[in-house]
Amino acid sequence: MANYYESADLARFAEVGTHNKALIDKFFEYYNMATGTDGALSKREKQLIGLAVAHTIQCPYCIDAYTTGCLESGADPAQMTEAIHVVGAVRGGASIVHGVQFLNVLERLGA
Amino acid sequence: MELPVIATTLPEAERYHFDEALGRHGLSLAPISIDTLQVNVGKLCNQACLHCHVDASPKRTEMMDRRTAEQVIAVLEAHPAVTTLDLTGGAPELNTNFDWLVVEARRLNKHVMVRHNLTVQFDGNPQTGESKEYLPEFFARHGVEVVSSLPYYTEYFTDKQRGRGVFNKSIEAIRRLNEVGYGNPETGLVLNLVYNPVGAFLPAAQEALEADFKRMLWNSSSLVFNKLYTIINMPIHRFKESLVRHGGYEEYMNKLVTAFNPGAADGVMCRSMISVDYDGRLSDCDFNQMLDIPVEEGTPRSIFEWDFDGLMARRIVFKDHCFGCTAGAGSSCGGTTA
């Protein structure tokens, strides 16, 4: 195995069901319902959320799939860029809000 | 239910064989009618777009002559069943016989559609400098249906595909069409826009994208149009070369083959039209024409040998690129087919 990640492996996703087809079939059914259809959120909104999450979990398969998914649901690069800035902001906020904890420690130490 | 974004690979033997795909689904796509004569009057264009299946550009010289144009009109006159003349190119307006074809076809009460790239209104003829600013008024006077490409409702995607400055020119051209009544349901003057993806992916759902285009073009520029047609980029010529250059041809073909939709196949446009090239040669569609694939052997292959019944009895010639018309919701010059 030359590399842990190969882009061609994305298309082999279904092979994960080789030793338990029922589980992967259930997963795909759920996955498609959750991400691939219009509902209370449009399919495009779901794809943009997927793209944003893909960046925050840093999954190259997901970034590949959801970039295409965003385009195929009518999104443009400006919308996709804003989506990843949302997760960037949330992640950054999650770090910075913990600054309250360091302030608490400072107070406890009388510093 | 199929995964929306994860394609599965197919064995090599099952790839790209359109006739076999039809057979697997029990489909036999025979001609239904010849209600449309789609005439490609030449390859000269003021633009040179990334996706163009014609490889049209300002340097091309192929052009339908008057004798062939007259034969097109003679065929239309002789066959009431052929109700529509669909003029394409290149930029069809750059053919010296374009205006004459429109006037004569309308005189015969045929429905006339023109594949109008919008920017030709401002660019004019790149070889002669002739102005084409009169086109909106000319189209309106003769009740021509205008079908125009606009890859997206913002500048980035449009200019990426069709060249720098095309978006702003296109917006101004639509404004001029609106000013003479196009896009207003009360005038009967029809302006339909065409979306095709800016890259190797399939279009979004036509209805949803049409709503987006209408809202965004109205909000940003107070522009109106009638319908949006979504079409799939055909993996031939310039677009295919681009895919091969970037190593994405196999992936794109797999996407099209995996997304084969029997419902879309049933409505393919080649079942109800004949394509005519600038020299009068006949093909099943504009894509076959560009690949030099004529109608079936044994069928009259020129507009000068036109035989309606013979053409209706032909077997349509399918090749691997036909998967571009049958993927997902399907694709045709009139948008989705499913």
Side-chain angles (χ1 to χ4, degrees):
Chain A
M1 188 163 59
N3 297 297
Y4 284 116
Y5 284 118
E6 297 286 355
S7 58
D9 286 348
L10 175 59
R12 298 175 56 206
F13 195 165
E15 291 179 30
V16 179
T18 301
H19 302 290
N20 192 327
K21 190 169 181 307
L23 278 177
I24 202 75
D25 284 350
K26 288 278 188 195
F27 171 76
F28 281 155
E29 184 184 0
Y30 160 78
Y31 182 97
N32 284 323
M33 284 183 71
T35 69
T37 56
D38 287 321
L41 293 177
S42 68
K43 181 179 173 183
R44 181 188 306 170
E45 289 164 336
K46 292 175 182 179
Q47 295 295 314
L48 286 165
I49 292 169
L51 181 72
V53 173
H55 280 76
T56 206
I57 61 176
Q58 296 170 335
C59 167
Y61 297 131
C62 308
I63 292 171
D64 188 345
Y66 279 94
T67 300
T68 305
C70 284
L71 292 169
E72 293 189 344
S73 58
D76 71 358
Q79 294 164 349
M80 294 155 71
T81 302
E82 287 189 14
I84 68 166
H85 276 290
V86 171
V87 290
V90 173
R91 284 196 89 166
S95 294
I96 293 167
V97 73
H98 282 77
V100 177
Q101 295 200 0
F102 106 80
L103 291 175
N104 288 342
V105 175
L106 285 179
E107 188 177 343
R108 177 162 52 83
L109 298 176
Chain B
M1 185 184 295
E2 288 181 40
L3 282 169
V5 292
I6 301 166
T8 55
T9 50
L10 292 174
E12 186 70 35
E14 290 180 31
R15 286 185 196 170
Y16 316 156
H17 297 293
F18 192 79
D19 281 314
E20 288 178 19
L22 293 180
R24 275 198 303 278
H25 292 276
L27 292 169
S28 170
L29 302 181
I32 298 168
S33 64
I34 306 174
D35 56 39
T36 299
L37 215 53
Q38 188 176 64
V39 179
N40 193 310
V41 294
K43 298 184 179 181
L44 175 61
C45 189
N46 56 307
Q47 295 182 180
C49 300
L50 207 60
H51 69 291
C52 182
H53 70 277
V54 181
D55 291 348
S57 84
K59 294 179 180 171
R60 300 300 293 256
T61 55
E62 299 90 336
M63 190 77 82
M64 179 175 281
D65 62 16
R66 183 57 169 254
R67 175 174 161 268
T68 310
E70 286 175 356
Q71 183 62 16
V72 167
I73 294 300
V75 166
L76 288 173
E77 187 161 22
H79 296 280
V82 186
T83 56
T84 298
L85 174 64
D86 183 349
L87 292 166
T88 188
E93 304 91 334
L94 298 178
N95 184 301
T96 50
N97 298 299
F98 173 80
D99 293 10
W100 182 84
L101 275 166
V102 170
V103 170
E104 288 302 303
R106 291 297 295 138
R107 183 180 59 80
L108 298 172
N109 282 323
K110 302 293 179 178
H111 179 63
V112 176
M113 305 164 67
V114 59
R115 309 278 159 181
H116 171 59
N117 73 12
L118 297 169
T119 60
V120 74
Q121 288 182 36
F122 302 105
D123 292 349
N125 189 316
Q127 295 180 359
T128 66
E130 181 194 4
S131 170
K132 290 291 172 185
E133 291 205 12
Y134 69 93
L135 284 172
E137 190 276 333
F138 175 78
F139 292 152
R141 182 154 31 99
H142 296 284
V144 174
E145 177 185 335
V146 176
V147 184
S148 296
S149 281
L150 188 70
Y152 208 67
Y153 47 74
T154 58
E155 186 173 1
Y156 174 77
F157 267 160
T158 302
D159 284 9
K160 189 170 176 63
Q161 182 176 88
R162 298 175 78 79
R164 186 177 297 178
V166 166
F167 178 75
N168 288 329
K169 269 191 220 170
S170 299
I171 292 297
E172 284 314 303
I174 294 172
R175 192 184 312 286
R176 295 184 62 199
L177 288 164
N178 283 175
E179 283 170 1
V180 296
Y182 274 97
N184 179 346
E186 292 175 9
T187 65
L189 293 172
V190 174
L191 168 63
N192 294 324
L193 298 182
V194 177
Y195 162 93
N196 64 300
V198 185
F201 56 93
L202 297 178
Q206 184 168 275
E207 207 172 286
L209 210 50
E210 178 182 294
D212 289 341
F213 267 64
K214 286 191 168 175
R215 185 180 68 254
M216 297 301 285
L217 289 176
W218 176 254
N219 289 346
S220 66
S221 311
S222 302
L223 299 179
V224 293
F225 65 96
N226 296 88
K227 288 182 182 170
L228 180 78
Y229 297 146
T230 58
I231 63 172
I232 295 172
N233 288 321
M234 197 54 61
I236 64 173
H237 286 320
R238 202 174 280 161
F239 184 61
K240 180 178 180 179
E241 286 165 19
S242 165
L243 289 170
V244 170
R245 198 165 52 248
H246 295 101
Y249 177 67
E250 290 272 314
E251 187 181 352
Y252 188 67
M253 285 303 297
N254 281 338
K255 180 186 282 287
L256 298 182
V257 172
T258 305
F260 178 83
N261 177 355
D266 201 46
V268 288
M269 61 183 179
C270 51
R271 303 186 74 188
S272 58
M273 59 163 280
I274 285 288
S275 167
V276 186
D277 85 350
Y278 68 92
D279 238 3
R281 288 170 293 200
L282 307 181
S283 297
D284 291 304
C285 71
D286 202 47
F287 304 115
N288 278 11
Q289 183 194 121
M290 293 311 142
L291 293 168
D292 290 323
I293 302 169
V295 288
E296 185 188 22
E297 194 171 357
T299 307
R301 286 178 156 176
S302 166
I303 192 84
F304 294 101
E305 302 163 3
W306 180 268
D307 172 4
F308 189 93
D309 294 334
L311 287 163
M312 281 297 291
R314 80 194 189 282
R315 193 178 66 86
I316 296 171
V317 182
F318 295 114
K319 299 289 181 185
D320 55 3
H321 62 278
C322 298
F323 281 109
C325 285
T326 58
S331 180
S332 76
C333 291
T336 56
T337 61

